[in-house]
Amino acid sequence: MANSNIDMDKLMSEIRAEIEEKQLTNDIVSFDTIEIENSEIQPELVYSEQSLKDSLGFMITHRRVTHVFGIPGNIVVRTWRKIVRRLTAFNIAHLFAQQNDINFHLSNVIFQLNNYNQELSEKMPLGDRIDALERENKVLKTRLAELERKAEKM
Amino acid sequence: MKVIQMLPTLALGDAVGNDTFALKKVLKDLGYETAIYANVLDRRLPSSCCEVLIGNELPEVEEDDIAIYHMSTESILNFNFETMQCRKIMIYHNITPPEFMKDCSYTIQKHSIAGLAGLKNLVGKVDYCLADSEFNKQDLIKCGYTCPIDVRPILIPFDDYKAKPDKNIIKTYGSDGFTNILFVGRIAPNKKHEDIISAFAYYNKHINSKSRLILAGSANGFEFYDKKLKAYAEALGVADYVIFTGHIKFSEILAFYSIASVFLCMSEHEGFCVPLAEAMFFKVPIIAYNSCAIPYTLDGSGALIDSKNPVEVALLIDRIVKNQDLRDKIIEGQNRRLEDFQYEKVKSLFAGYLKDFINKGKS
């Protein structure tokens, strides 16, 4: 490359020679040894059966949301918040009902897809299914080739 | 004929945003009617600097107009840009591959994967590409781009760097006799801050205990990685000597550059690496790992290394700090390279490319 005015190879050779001469060793632990819990919920980017089971379990118990929960604060704050809650209930309650309908149907789609997948897997393991489909495909291709030859003769 | 610029997010202080603003000035100087369009405008920027595109909205253009798209991340524009009924130029700033993001949030990984899908989508759908570096150009070619591609360094307004640096930073960190090792860049896994910390830890513990590592950059979006880096500094016993500045003001960045003894970069993925050019401007000797666009940006200047061995890097830092002749030679090489990034030179390069593109369109 243009513009080079220091001999890096020579410089690094000198440094390596110095390391050997002084018997310097790398006592720095690797970054990979640092273990920290990642508190953010991380959806898996590849299929994980355990991750699917965990999320299905969560959805079964948490799919219904509610606007009724304990009110924190002192007695004055709690009273005020109760009044506000009563006043706005008419506006909020139907939104929660709609959301719960969506949650129910969405979670049902996921449960049913999971059930379907499990039934298929039980009836025939995935690898076997692929083999069977490939054999079927081969037979169909042979038949197609035969029909094409017959058509040409005609 | 209008020449407009489009990008997903116009942010304050990031390389793509700065390049966009600089190009807008160049286009105006060249006499073109121009404007900037973005899906998201940083709240810290005035609303007058950009037209915000809502949802699938696109600017109105005529066949004779030119739209320049800054590609650097996932965006709906990666898929809508192809429908613009005008001539299309893409400036490719590079997208960090997802393999660097495995310790990060799912969202960040998804952005990376989606960004690369967007880049593939635009193959064959733009008329011309400009790449910040030869490395970026090669990335485009590997992706399948066959349109003409030219290399144009990012426009850096070096006049802005002549502003006054923050006095408090200089007083706090520049007058205690400590050797300051600096890296400027957002806290992100591809920049391999852990390798900077490990080299510094060896240097601080075995060579020069009166030393300090300054990691200037925001951790926004990479909080888990930031947490892990701080735990690493703690585990190595150098937490008191490593400063994670977070997002800082421009005057503070200037101050850190002015007190730095060495700029240390161990990044493994960069599209250009603007901080290298900044370090050159402030005459801070650079030690950088030989990867991605870094050798292209340095072009033989600085001290380019193939090793991340903390002992080797630490000894190299020591040599550069103590050997004035070596420092001078490195800075001399960097000064020569800096000439290639001068505003007027890059402006002239861009103007030439744009003129050629317009003339090809007419013939």
Side-chain angles (χ1 to χ4, degrees), chain B residues 23-163:
Chain B
L23 275 179
K24 181 180 178 181
K25 189 174 177 307
V26 167
L27 288 166
K28 274 191 165 166
D29 288 347
L30 294 172
Y32 294 109
E33 187 189 338
T34 186
I36 299 173
Y37 296 84
N39 287 125
V40 176
L41 175 62
D42 192 322
R43 276 182 294 185
R44 295 167 294 179
L45 290 167
S47 56
S48 55
C49 70
C50 164
E51 298 270 352
V52 175
L53 301 168
I54 313 289
N56 285 328
E57 194 188 353
L58 289 170
E60 278 182 28
V61 291
E62 287 169 12
E63 219 177 285
D64 199 39
D65 292 337
I66 296 173
I68 300 175
Y69 178 50
H70 291 266
M71 156 72 84
S72 64
T73 186
E74 178 210 13
S75 169
I76 188 76
L77 285 174
N78 294 350
F79 298 89
N80 287 350
F81 185 63
E82 63 187 87
T83 64
M84 299 278 293
Q85 298 299 311
C86 64
R87 289 171 291 173
K88 294 182 276 292
I89 297 176
M90 184 177 81
I91 296 183
Y92 183 50
H93 298 287
N94 215 304
I95 293 172
T96 308
E99 52 263 31
F100 285 105
M101 308 297 188
K102 55 182 174 54
D103 265 343
C104 300
S105 70
Y106 169 70
T107 311
I108 300 271
Q109 291 180 67
K110 199 168 71 77
H111 281 324
S112 175
I113 293 166
L116 289 171
L119 179 66
K120 284 201 167 78
N121 176 66
L122 286 175
V123 170
K125 294 169 187 168
V126 298
D127 302 302
Y128 177 51
C129 289
L130 284 169
D132 296 341
S133 61
E134 182 63 33
F135 175 74
N136 286 4
K137 178 179 175 178
Q138 293 306 319
D139 256 9
L140 288 175
I141 293 170
K142 278 182 213 163
C143 200
Y145 282 79
T146 53
C147 63
I149 306 171
D150 283 312
V151 176
R152 174 221 60 129
I154 286 186
L155 260 170
I156 304 169
F158 285 111
D159 278 349
D160 293 353
Y161 293 84
K162 293 173 185 167

Side-chain angles (χ1 to χ4, degrees), chain B residues 44-308:
Chain B
R44 295 167 294 179
L45 290 167
S47 56
S48 55
C49 70
C50 164
E51 298 270 352
V52 175
L53 301 168
I54 313 289
N56 285 328
E57 194 188 353
L58 289 170
E60 278 182 28
V61 291
E62 287 169 12
E63 219 177 285
D64 199 39
D65 292 337
I66 296 173
I68 300 175
Y69 178 50
H70 291 266
M71 156 72 84
S72 64
T73 186
E74 178 210 13
S75 169
I76 188 76
L77 285 174
N78 294 350
F79 298 89
N80 287 350
F81 185 63
E82 63 187 87
T83 64
M84 299 278 293
Q85 298 299 311
C86 64
R87 289 171 291 173
K88 294 182 276 292
I89 297 176
M90 184 177 81
I91 296 183
Y92 183 50
H93 298 287
N94 215 304
I95 293 172
T96 308
E99 52 263 31
F100 285 105
M101 308 297 188
K102 55 182 174 54
D103 265 343
C104 300
S105 70
Y106 169 70
T107 311
I108 300 271
Q109 291 180 67
K110 199 168 71 77
H111 281 324
S112 175
I113 293 166
L116 289 171
L119 179 66
K120 284 201 167 78
N121 176 66
L122 286 175
V123 170
K125 294 169 187 168
V126 298
D127 302 302
Y128 177 51
C129 289
L130 284 169
D132 296 341
S133 61
E134 182 63 33
F135 175 74
N136 286 4
K137 178 179 175 178
Q138 293 306 319
D139 256 9
L140 288 175
I141 293 170
K142 278 182 213 163
C143 200
Y145 282 79
T146 53
C147 63
I149 306 171
D150 283 312
V151 176
R152 174 221 60 129
I154 286 186
L155 260 170
I156 304 169
F158 285 111
D159 278 349
D160 293 353
Y161 293 84
K162 293 173 185 167
K164 281 193 182 141
D166 186 280
K167 282 184 197 165
N168 289 330
I169 296 288
I170 295 174
K171 195 176 164 188
T172 309
Y173 302 112
S175 55
D176 57 2
F178 267 53
T179 299
N180 292 310
I181 295 159
L182 174 68
F183 176 70
V184 175
R186 62 194 176 98
I187 303 289
N190 56 292
K191 295 184 190 285
K192 296 293 176 187
H193 288 73
E194 63 268 28
D195 295 329
I196 303 174
I197 293 172
S198 62
F200 168 74
Y202 190 92
Y203 179 73
N204 179 269
K205 286 160 80 169
H206 297 289
I207 299 173
N208 179 7
S209 59
K210 281 190 74 178
S211 58
R212 182 187 287 122
L213 174 63
I214 300 158
L215 298 172
S218 166
N220 192 20
F222 296 97
E223 288 77 11
F224 174 67
Y225 179 61
D226 182 60
K227 200 170 152 188
K228 204 170 165 182
L229 287 172
K230 285 169 177 160
Y232 188 44
E234 189 77 47
L236 295 179
V238 292
D240 290 341
Y241 301 97
V242 180
I243 296 165
F244 289 84
T245 68
H247 183 79
I248 49 176
K249 292 184 290 193
F250 188 62
S251 61
E252 290 172 322
I253 294 176
L254 300 182
F256 281 123
Y257 274 118
S258 70
I259 59 160
S261 305
V262 168
F263 186 92
L264 180 59
C265 174
M266 297 294 217
S267 185
E268 290 184 9
H269 190 271
E270 298 286 346
F272 179 83
C273 199
V274 169
L276 291 177
E278 292 172 344
M280 289 179 199
F281 180 83
F282 284 96
K283 302 193 191 315
V284 180
I286 296 166
I287 298 174
Y289 181 63
N290 186 5
S291 75
C292 53
I294 289 168
Y296 300 105
T297 302
L298 290 180
D299 193 28
S301 67
L304 191 65
I305 53 173
D306 293 311
S307 167
K308 283 196 173 188

Side-chain angles (χ1 to χ4, degrees), chain B residues 155-156 158 338-347:
Chain B
L155 260 170
I156 304 169
F158 285 111
L338 190 63
E339 291 297 314
D340 297 324
F341 302 139
Q342 290 308 311
Y343 185 83
E344 287 301 322
K345 195 166 183 178
V346 180
K347 174 183 170 180

Side-chain angles (χ1 to χ4, degrees), chain A residues 130-149:
Chain A
I130 291 171
D131 287 343
L133 283 167
E134 279 179 349
R135 279 193 299 270
E136 216 180 293
N137 190 38
K138 215 172 169 179
V139 165
L140 285 169
K141 276 186 176 172
T142 310
R143 276 178 63 192
L144 178 65
E146 259 179 55
L147 286 167
E148 278 174 349
R149 274 196 297 273

